[in-house]
């Protein structure tokens, strides 16, 4: 877990820039305009996941193993296949999004389509860097450079008195993602310099896609659960309700940020330990992740309970109404931190299909509760639905991992079962 402190520091900095960017956007666009922005961005983020074609997760396994084994030809083939696939799918889904926006006269949706390609490529290149143990480079461009550029451009727009529209804000978001991607390509070339002299080996093409496809569906379900509330609120209640929820969600993401940082750098170690059959080491790693993650989550949750209203008010006076939603989302974040790295323990150890079934069940729970609660409770109802779905899939995966690997991945950290049941 070397680099954990660096990873957490980078993520905290990134959250700060992202928070600042959202405050600028809410101030420049107002509550309704900010709601329209997050709805269009939500569609773009949902479509970015299929655009990545699952390679952001399969890279953590294949790149790790190929580097350990010195299989540079296969590594080069995998990288080329991943990038080519992402570019092709990104162009297709962003084109479909733009056509849909034009057909419905929703210009922000058309502008949001420009975000898909750079964000998809950035989201695949970063995990490859993580698998290569380039901890700083794997995070700084996506988590810090991208929101920092957006903050700078929004600041300039505010200083010169530019009248910001929703479409202009979305285009600036796309420009920030593209700039971060271009900056990442330089250290990416250095990290994989050893593949330049190797002949690309595409002999495992079927295996790459066989793993990437279920990973794609899993990631898409996760992102759909993340963005569903914003989209449904905009449809069922209005853009203002989406803006309130988005502000609460942005703050609530502080709760599990340590868990996200730790699992991010631990992912290659999980894939490597599974490849070597070192499940006792895996149990120690899982326990450490959950305990540190939960400790930070409880502290962050307490601070949000105390300072939530004034922090929301930074978005604008009307955003304080999102405080109940913030508390509901914080509960889900604490539950997520308690169960630890259960998702990675399934998807990086060859159990992606059971993980897919669990996420599908949680998605059904999310849809049902959103449809039930949003009409009467608005943003609070969406927050309750979101947290309920989060608790559902985390607990289900916690039970499954204990059964399949003998590992208690939670902060309790029970002793590993020597002979777990086969799956």
């Amino acid at each position: 877990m070397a680099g954990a402190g660096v990873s957490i520091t980078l993520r905290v900095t990134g959250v700060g820039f992202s928070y600042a960017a959202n405050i600028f956007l809410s101030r420049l666009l107002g509550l309704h305009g900010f709601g329209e922005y997050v709805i269009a961005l939500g569609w773009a983020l949902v479509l970015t996941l299929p655009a990545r074609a699952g390679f952001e997760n399969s890279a953590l396994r294949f790149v790790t193993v190929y580097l350990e084994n010195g299989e540079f030809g296969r590594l080069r083939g995998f990288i080329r296949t991943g990038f080519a696939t992402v570019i092709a799918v990104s162009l297709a889904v962003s084109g479909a999004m733009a056509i849909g926006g034009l057909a419905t006269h929703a210009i922000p949706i058309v502008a949001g389509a420009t975000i898909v390609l750079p964000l998809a490529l950035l989201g695949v290149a970063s995990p490859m860097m993580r698998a290569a143990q380039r901890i700083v480079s794997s995070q700084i461009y996506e988590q810090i450079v991208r929101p920092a550029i957006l903050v700078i451009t929004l600041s300039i727009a505010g200083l010169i008195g530019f009248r910001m529209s929703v479409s202009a804000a979305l285009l600036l978001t796309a420009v920030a993602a593209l700039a971060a991607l271009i900056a990442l390509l330089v250290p990416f070339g250095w990290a994989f310099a050893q593949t330049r002299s190797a002949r690309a080996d595409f002999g495992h093409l079927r295996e790459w896609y066989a793993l990437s496809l279920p990973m794609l569906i899993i990631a898409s379900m996760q992102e759909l659960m993340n963005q569903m509330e914003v989209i449904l609120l905009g449809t069922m209640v209005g853009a203002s309700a989406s803006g309130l929820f988005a502000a609460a969600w942005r703050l609530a993401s502080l709760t599990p940020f340590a868990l996200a940082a730790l699992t991010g750098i631990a992912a290659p170690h999980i894939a490597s330990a599974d490849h070597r059959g070192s499940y006792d080491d895996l149990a120690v790693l899982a326990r450490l992740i959950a305990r540190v993650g939960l400790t930070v989550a409880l502290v962050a949750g307490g601070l949000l309970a105390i300072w939530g209203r004034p922090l929301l008010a930074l978005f604008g006076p009307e955003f304080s109404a999102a405080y109940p939603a913030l508390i509901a989302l914080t509960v889900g974040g604490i539950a997520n931190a308690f169960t630890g790295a259960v998702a990675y323990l399934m998807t990086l150890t060859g159990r992606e299909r059971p993980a897919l079934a669990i996420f599908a069940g949680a998605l059904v729970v999310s849809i049902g509760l959103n449809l039930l609660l949003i009409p009467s409770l608005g943003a609070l109802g969406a927050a309750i639905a979101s947290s309920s779905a989060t608790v559902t899939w985390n607990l289900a995966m916690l039970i499954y991992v204990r059964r399949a690997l003998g590992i208690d991945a939670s902060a309790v950290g029970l002793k590993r079962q020597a002979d777990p049941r086969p799956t």
Side-chain angles (χ1 to χ4, degrees):
M1 290 297 288
V6 173
S7 181
I8 291 175
T9 300
L10 289 172
R11 186 165 288 270
V12 170
T13 306
V15 168
F17 276 114
S18 181
Y19 180 57
N22 278 270
I23 289 174
F24 273 113
L25 285 165
S26 65
R27 291 288 185 173
L28 290 170
L29 299 174
L31 176 57
H32 185 80
F34 183 66
E36 290 185 336
Y37 170 86
V38 296
I39 291 170
L41 181 63
W43 280 112
L45 292 175
V46 167
L47 292 176
T48 295
L49 265 296
R52 291 175 182 169
F55 278 88
E56 79 276 24
N57 288 311
S58 61
L60 294 171
R61 182 185 299 184
F62 289 119
V63 174
T64 298
V65 172
Y66 292 157
L67 283 173
E68 282 189 353
N69 296 341
E71 299 174 289
F72 299 128
R74 289 181 180 175
L75 177 58
R76 188 174 187 181
F78 177 82
I79 292 173
R80 285 189 173 185
T81 300
F83 282 153
T85 303
V86 170
I87 291 172
V89 179
S90 294
L91 292 174
V93 299
S94 60
M97 182 176 174
I99 292 171
L102 289 172
T104 57
H105 305 287
I107 302 304
I109 297 295
V110 178
T114 62
I115 299 173
V116 175
L117 178 59
L119 209 56
L121 287 171
L122 190 61
V124 170
S126 295
M128 290 183 180
M129 293 289 282
R130 194 186 314 159
Q133 297 301 313
R134 304 300 176 97
I135 303 301
V136 174
S137 294
S138 70
Q139 298 181 69
I140 193 170
Y141 296 96
E142 185 174 18
Q143 295 177 17
I144 296 179
V145 173
R146 181 173 63 88
I149 292 173
L150 183 56
V151 167
I152 292 170
T153 54
L154 291 172
S155 300
I156 294 172
L159 288 173
I160 65 176
F162 178 75
R163 187 173 180 180
M164 185 67 63
S165 68
V166 175
S167 295
L170 289 162
L171 290 173
L172 288 177
T173 303
V175 169
L178 179 61
L181 172 64
I182 293 171
L184 174 59
L185 292 179
V186 175
F188 188 92
W190 296 338
F192 296 101
Q194 65 267 53
T195 67
R196 294 174 187 169
S197 59
R199 182 178 179 181
D201 180 358
F202 299 96
H204 287 225
L205 193 67
R206 181 175 296 181
E207 182 183 354
W208 298 337
Y209 282 116
L211 177 61
S212 296
L213 180 58
M215 291 291 201
L216 159 63
I217 300 173
I218 288 171
S220 297
M221 285 185 174
Q222 283 186 286
E223 191 61 35
L224 184 57
M225 281 191 282
N226 287 339
Q227 302 301 327
M228 181 188 303
E229 287 78 17
V230 166
I231 295 170
L232 287 178
L233 280 167
T235 303
M236 301 172 68
V237 181
S240 295
S242 295
L244 290 174
F245 179 87
W249 188 87
R250 173 57 56 196
L251 275 178
S253 65
L254 291 168
T255 309
F257 83 87
L259 172 69
L262 292 172
T263 52
I265 62 172
H269 298 286
I270 293 173
S272 176
D274 176 65
H275 181 64
R276 293 180 280 106
S278 304
Y279 292 104
D280 287 332
D281 293 341
L282 206 54
V284 173
L285 179 62
R287 182 169 61 248
L288 175 63
I289 290 171
R291 289 180 177 176
V292 174
L294 179 62
T295 300
V296 176
L298 289 172
V299 172
L303 292 175
L304 287 176
I306 297 170
W307 296 102
R309 289 188 190 277
L311 288 173
L312 285 167
L314 292 176
F315 288 87
E318 59 270 62
F319 284 88
S320 296
Y323 180 75
L326 171 62
I327 297 303
L329 289 169
T330 299
V331 172
I334 292 173
N336 187 15
F338 170 79
T339 56
V342 285
Y344 276 140
L345 286 170
M346 291 188 67
T347 59
L348 295 179
T349 61
R351 294 165 176 85
E352 59 276 356
R353 295 186 186 278
L356 175 58
I358 291 172
F359 276 125
L363 182 59
V364 171
V365 171
S366 180
I367 293 172
L369 288 176
N370 272 297
L371 294 176
L372 179 66
L373 298 176
I374 284 177
S376 58
L377 298 176
L380 175 59
I384 294 172
S386 177
S387 285
S388 297
T390 298
V391 171
T392 297
W393 69 259
N394 272 280
L395 290 180
M397 287 190 180
L398 182 68
I399 294 169
Y400 187 93
V401 167
R402 180 66 172 173
R403 177 179 181 273
L405 301 177
I407 295 173
D408 177 12
S410 75
V412 175
L414 297 174
K415 184 178 180 181
R416 180 174 179 264
Q417 293 177 345
D419 187 24
R421 287 179 284 175
T423 56

